[in-house]
Amino acid sequence: MTRTTMTRLADGREILYFDDAGSPQRPPASLVDHRELPARPEPGQLRFDALSGDWVAVAAHRQSRTHLPPADQCPICPTTPANQTEIPAPDYDVAVFENRFPSLGPDTSEIPVAPVWGTTTPAVGRCEVVAFTPQHTGSFAGLGWQRTRTVIDAWAHRTEALSALPGIQQVFPFENRGADIGVTLHHPHGQIYAYPYVTPRAAVLAAAAGDYFDSSDGTASLTSSLLQSERSDGSRMVLEGEHFSAYVPFAARWPLEVHLVPHRQVPDLAALNGAERDELAQLYPELLKRFDALYPTPTPYIAAWHQAPLEPALRRAGHLHLQLTSPRRAADKLKYLAGSEAAMGAFINDTTPESVAARLREVAVVATDAIQNPATLTPEGAPA
């Protein structure tokens, strides 16, 4: 079992250490933050956009956040005498802490239920940083099975805990990777946002899922149906396991886009069982490695975990899935969201989903048998 230790930073923010299975207890002295930090900033605002019905976060205090510091000043490396960081311990496996420059939070509460033009409210919610490794260089794909499994447990833990906070409507774990995506830290890390509202994209997906669920009298999820169709067709499949499969969607929006979907309908990462988490810890890094194998340099990407909103009417039809996307359309070209996409939300893809899937199948970087035959997994789920 992953070991979890919670403590607080000098300004009161929560930090949790998630240590690999079998690791010893952390010495209490290593958990003390000796920095003198200023008081936490006042929260930003949520403003209601009456034209679209969306909430917009205004977080001007984030202008001063850390931006691509040199390695010896990285704020999420382990603490040393020369560099006292956001993670006080001299070493760690995975650490999760409240963002010092949050878009949302730190308070959580309900937001107005009948907003109109001019409605504002404090930007309640929670923003957390997930440090995947103490190593400053590297990538998620290179963590190894055990560390990946620890990250999955951390995501599941935080999903469950954040979902229980007052007013939270949606929990969103994600990773932005690469300067072309806009990362502000090179150290391998991700984030978790807990929103006090259902985000626009999640609302659209939930509405479509709910309509399909109702049309089947509650017997099937839309995501399950799409996965079944993709597996039957086969031309866009990338990999298949016992519990998860990945495919390039029929109507992919991005030059590189893959959906990784659990075969069982579950609403979120917290609902995955041990066997599912074991396989996910193998298949997800494999997918990332294939992205990187397409070109001579690492591929920028956004890894977005779509979890069901917490509102019961939207959650009943929800089905967890990962949407892995990259704007990279060639070795030296990126897809920019220009007029049609940015203004109208009407995407134009410069690649065909079938050709992208074929390339991702061809660049497999681990033994295919280990993916397609669960019998080749050890009892702990690591590659044999």
Side-chain angles (χ1 to χ4, degrees):
M1 295 288 292
T2 298
R3 184 184 299 279
T4 306
T5 306
M6 192 279 280
T7 186
R8 291 194 177 271
L9 299 174
D11 57 3
R13 286 174 293 138
E14 190 175 65
I15 180 170
L16 297 97
Y17 295 91
F18 294 88
D19 293 319
D20 297 341
S23 59
Q25 285 278 8
R26 291 191 160 271
S30 72
L31 306 178
V32 178
D33 186 0
H34 295 285
R35 297 173 298 170
E36 294 185 3
L37 296 177
R40 302 181 71 173
E42 291 296 315
Q45 280 187 337
L46 291 177
R47 298 189 178 192
F48 181 68
D49 178 4
L51 194 62
S52 66
D54 298 337
W55 287 97
V56 177
V58 179
H61 60 279
R62 284 174 52 80
Q63 286 280 31
S64 60
R65 69 188 185 274
T66 307
H67 183 76
L68 300 179
D72 62 354
Q73 297 175 32
C74 174
I76 57 176
C77 282
T79 281
T80 67
N83 183 32
Q84 293 189 316
T85 74
E86 292 282 74
I87 303 174
D91 195 16
Y92 66 89
D93 293 338
V94 176
V96 181
F97 59 92
E98 292 183 71
N99 197 324
R100 189 175 177 182
F101 305 98
S103 302
L104 304 170
D107 294 332
T108 59
S109 65
E110 303 285 345
I111 60 174
V113 296
V116 296
W117 180 90
T119 299
T120 66
T121 189
V124 292
R126 179 70 69 88
C127 294
E128 297 185 340
V129 177
V130 184
F132 299 143
T133 170
Q135 303 301 318
H136 182 72
T137 58
S139 67
F140 194 108
L143 293 180
W145 182 86
Q146 182 62 69
R147 184 58 49 76
T148 303
R149 183 66 168 77
T150 301
V151 173
I152 292 168
D153 282 346
W155 284 335
H157 179 287
R158 300 314 300 150
T159 292
E160 185 172 19
L162 294 172
S163 297
L165 293 178
I168 297 303
Q169 294 296 312
Q170 180 185 341
V171 178
F172 174 47
F174 64 99
E175 180 194 0
N176 297 327
R177 190 277 190 103
D180 290 322
I181 294 298
V183 298
T184 57
L185 295 174
H186 290 304
H187 192 120
H189 73 289
Q191 300 179 69
I192 304 175
Y193 276 25
Y195 299 97
Y197 52 85
V198 178
T199 61
R201 180 64 176 160
V204 169
L205 296 181
D211 288 345
Y212 187 89
F213 190 78
D214 291 340
S215 70
S216 68
D217 295 324
T219 61
S221 80
L222 177 58
T223 301
S224 294
S225 175
L226 295 176
L227 174 60
Q228 182 179 352
S229 296
E230 292 289 0
R231 296 181 78 181
S232 296
D233 179 278
S235 64
R236 289 170 297 277
M237 293 304 300
V238 177
L239 54 83
E240 297 182 71
E242 180 181 3
H243 304 291
F244 283 83
S245 289
Y247 62 88
V248 179
F250 174 77
R253 299 180 173 207
W254 294 91
L256 294 175
E257 180 173 349
V258 174
H259 292 188
L260 179 61
V261 181
H263 297 170
R264 185 170 67 96
Q265 182 185 356
V266 295
D268 54 28
L269 289 155
L272 294 175
N273 62 34
E276 289 165 335
R277 296 185 194 190
D278 286 347
E279 185 175 85
L280 180 59
Q282 185 182 6
L283 298 190
Y284 180 37
E286 158 68 4
L287 200 55
L288 297 178
K289 290 175 183 177
R290 294 192 189 198
F291 261 47
D292 274 349
L294 292 173
Y295 299 109
T297 56
T299 296
Y301 63 74
I302 296 174
W305 286 100
H306 289 266
Q307 306 194 107
L310 296 171
E311 183 181 329
L314 300 179
R315 191 170 180 81
R316 60 195 171 85
H319 192 139
L320 170 73
H321 66 281
L322 171 76
Q323 182 186 40
L324 181 63
T325 61
S326 175
R328 195 173 198 177
R329 59 187 177 90
D332 59 347
K333 296 182 177 67
L334 296 177
K335 165 79 173 178
Y336 292 99
L337 299 190
S340 184
E341 292 90 356
M344 291 291 103
F347 276 70
I348 302 168
N349 196 345
D350 301 309
T351 61
T352 66
E354 292 75 18
S355 65
V356 170
R359 292 178 64 203
L360 289 169
R361 288 193 297 268
E362 292 166 0
V363 297
V365 291
V366 298
T368 304
D369 286 346
I371 298 170
Q372 295 182 342
N373 181 6
T376 63
L377 300 179
T378 69
E380 294 77 26

